[in-house]
Amino acid sequence: MFYAARGDVPHKRHTQHRAPDGSLYAEELFGVEGFTGRSSLIYHLLPPTRVREIRPLGPVKVEVADDGSHHHALIDSAKLAPAGDPIGGRVPLFTNSDVTMGVVLPTDPMPERTYYRNGEMDELLFIHEGTGTLRTNFGDLAYHAGDYLVLPIGTTWRIDADPGVAQRWLWLECPSELEPPKRYRNEYGQLLEHSPYSQRDIRVPELQAPRIDHGDSTVIIRARGRHTAYHFEHHPFDVVGWDGYLWPYAFDIADFEPITGRIHQPPPVHQTFQARNFVVCSFVPRKFDYHPLAIPAPYNHSNINSDEVIYYVAGNFMSRRGVGISSFTIHPAGIPHGPHPGTVEASIGKEATEELAVMVDTFRPLWLTKQAAGLEDARYPYTWLPPEDVHAAEEARHLSERGPEAFPD
């Protein structure tokens, strides 16, 4: 990312930085990869090491499901009832050693003066529905539907959702850096002219006045596969200033500029973030291909060494039979997939799409969790067959009429 600074920082790093009363501010290096990766310097009223009590909360469990077969799957998360807070309400649906993802439909606020810090993974929240404020030790970010919230490993944060506003988030965590694709950055890290978004589109937290109030504050720390509660006598947001290259940010999917062409463009043109062994892509409203013989519908393709998960956000998903908003499809490695019956011919001559979807492609096998298995539609692997019953025939008729308006891949 690029350099940013907020609040009061000294002219020279690692030198005396004093408060108006003459006391020294406490400097903290917040960085990854030892002392060689991205980092920021944070200046606190009090040392961030003053913990008064440590309490174990137990392991973080993700249980996988395996029915013994290898097949395409449709997971309908719309069936889930909203429950829990932004941390306890997480529902993991897919997992491997590189990434775990699922949904959060919180109904409860995080407890007062309670914060979260993932000490082993970067995190990404995609706001499908809802508004509120992400509060971090770097400052506040107001969020709305369509925002990606990127939280680097070690960030201390909480979410205060707006009262009475329904929340639905796609959630992802990974033990590697989540960052813009390297092919869109130059040697200085600047996003290039042909990148589908730029630094102007990235929202940096706005630092708030340092919290000087005392009293118990709890930071729930995720590390070594478990949660531990750290209790402090002072507020963790006692920051007077920070600067550097490592900080949380927001990016609105509406600011992603689609790359189009005369013929159908492959999914990498939709890539938004990269991490170790997976990518995140954004399917947004765009013009279709403009070759005179173009076929806007995607061609059949085999995921020979990647698993593809698509989360459907908005649009007309009749181009995939049985797929609705808030559903996930997973098309695993080794099996071809492509347009459903009626879609290819119907796509010819169409000019644009209004779809909105998020795709995660992994390069190691993903496992469905037990929660995902309970939401699976067992009919989905057979939906490429010509329709035989009246209901399926009606779906096929709609497909042939509507084309690929929301067919992301």
Side-chain angles (χ1 to χ4, degrees):
M1 299 306 296
F2 52 89
Y3 174 81
R6 294 290 187 271
D8 184 10
V9 298
H11 173 69
K12 190 76 173 175
R13 60 182 177 172
H14 313 324
T15 59
Q16 297 178 33
H17 188 28
R18 295 188 179 274
D21 64 3
S23 61
L24 275 173
Y25 292 130
E27 183 183 40
E28 174 193 2
L29 175 67
F30 178 80
V32 296
E33 298 180 20
F35 292 85
T36 62
R38 289 188 297 148
S39 66
S40 291
L41 288 170
I42 306 173
Y43 296 88
H44 299 265
L45 294 175
L46 297 171
T49 51
R50 291 186 178 178
V51 60
R52 66 172 183 82
E53 182 185 0
I54 299 173
R55 192 161 47 86
L57 298 179
V60 178
K61 295 182 179 179
V62 178
E63 297 180 287
V64 301
D66 183 6
D67 66 0
S69 69
H70 187 65
H71 58 272
H72 298 317
L74 170 63
I75 309 300
D76 185 5
S77 75
K79 297 177 181 178
L80 288 170
D85 65 25
I87 306 303
R90 294 178 170 189
V91 182
L93 297 174
F94 311 96
T95 189
N96 66 16
S97 60
D98 299 310
V99 62
T100 297
M101 72 185 94
V103 293
V104 196
L105 289 74
T107 55
D108 305 329
M110 294 177 68
E112 201 68 29
R113 293 180 68 102
T114 298
Y115 306 85
Y116 186 69
R117 180 189 303 158
N118 196 325
E120 55 189 359
M121 300 190 191
D122 276 21
E123 297 192 318
L124 175 70
L125 293 174
F126 175 76
I127 308 300
H128 186 170
E129 298 175 0
T131 58
T133 305
L134 170 67
R135 306 193 190 279
T136 80
N137 52 324
F138 291 87
D140 288 359
L141 282 164
Y143 69 82
H144 57 262
D147 275 342
Y148 288 107
L149 304 178
V150 180
L151 293 150
I153 182 173
T155 304
T156 303
W157 62 272
R158 65 175 284 127
I159 281 186
D160 290 331
D162 287 340
V165 179
Q167 309 283 326
R168 177 181 288 273
W169 313 331
L170 174 66
W171 148 72
L172 175 156
E173 61 182 17
C174 58
S176 60
E177 288 191 76
L178 193 67
E179 55 191 355
K182 286 185 178 179
R183 70 176 182 278
Y184 293 137
R185 293 178 277 152
N186 62 22
E187 61 183 305
Y188 305 102
Q190 183 179 14
L191 289 164
L192 298 167
E193 284 296 297
H194 63 279
S195 169
Y197 60 98
S198 77
Q199 278 86 358
R200 291 186 186 181
D201 300 318
I202 293 171
R203 306 202 309 271
V204 181
E206 290 302 325
L207 186 64
Q208 305 300 299
R211 297 287 296 269
I212 59 174
D213 46 317
H214 290 266
D216 185 72
S217 290
T218 304
V219 179
I220 299 172
I221 296 178
R222 160 98 183 245
R224 305 296 188 268
R226 61 175 64 94
H227 283 149
T228 303
Y230 272 62
H231 294 267
F232 296 87
E233 290 183 344
H234 64 280
H235 201 284
F237 294 174
D238 65 339
V239 176
V240 299
W242 62 268
D243 76 330
Y245 287 76
L246 186 63
W247 29 266
Y249 63 90
F251 170 66
D252 189 344
I253 196 172
D255 288 325
F256 186 89
E257 299 301 331
I259 298 171
T260 60
R262 292 217 322 150
I263 59 175
H264 188 80
Q265 299 298 294
V269 301
H270 307 290
Q271 187 179 346
T272 312
F273 305 107
Q274 69 174 39
R276 186 178 63 225
N277 293 322
F278 76 92
V279 298
V280 178
C281 299
S282 302
F283 293 100
V284 301
R286 66 191 186 278
K287 292 290 186 181
F288 275 144
D289 325 314
Y290 49 91
H291 187 284
L293 298 178
I295 300 176
Y299 36 80
N300 296 293
H301 55 285
S302 292
N303 298 1
I304 294 177
N305 59 2
S306 67
D307 284 5
E308 173 200 281
V309 174
I310 297 178
Y311 177 68
Y312 297 82
V313 178
N316 168 24
F317 297 114
M318 282 299 295
S319 55
R320 278 223 169 116
R321 284 161 54 186
V323 178
I325 292 173
S326 302
S327 291
F328 293 83
T329 55
I330 176 167
H331 301 136
I335 318 173
H337 70 276
H340 271 143
T343 305
V344 175
E345 281 286 354
S347 75
I348 296 172
K350 302 289 184 178
E351 294 186 355
T353 173
E354 294 300 320
E355 75 191 10
L356 206 59
V358 176
M359 182 174 78
V360 178
D361 266 7
T362 69
F363 304 113
R364 290 180 180 170
L366 275 173
W367 292 95
L368 270 64
T369 67
K370 289 187 175 180
Q371 293 96 322
L375 301 170
E376 184 176 358
D377 185 341
R379 300 170 298 172
Y380 183 68
Y382 310 106
T383 53
W384 284 269
L385 291 170
E388 295 179 353
D389 58 58
V390 174
H391 176 69
E394 182 67 11
E395 283 186 346
R397 185 181 68 79
H398 282 294
L399 289 172
S400 64
E401 290 176 355
R402 301 182 183 185
E405 288 95 334
F407 199 116
D409 177 34

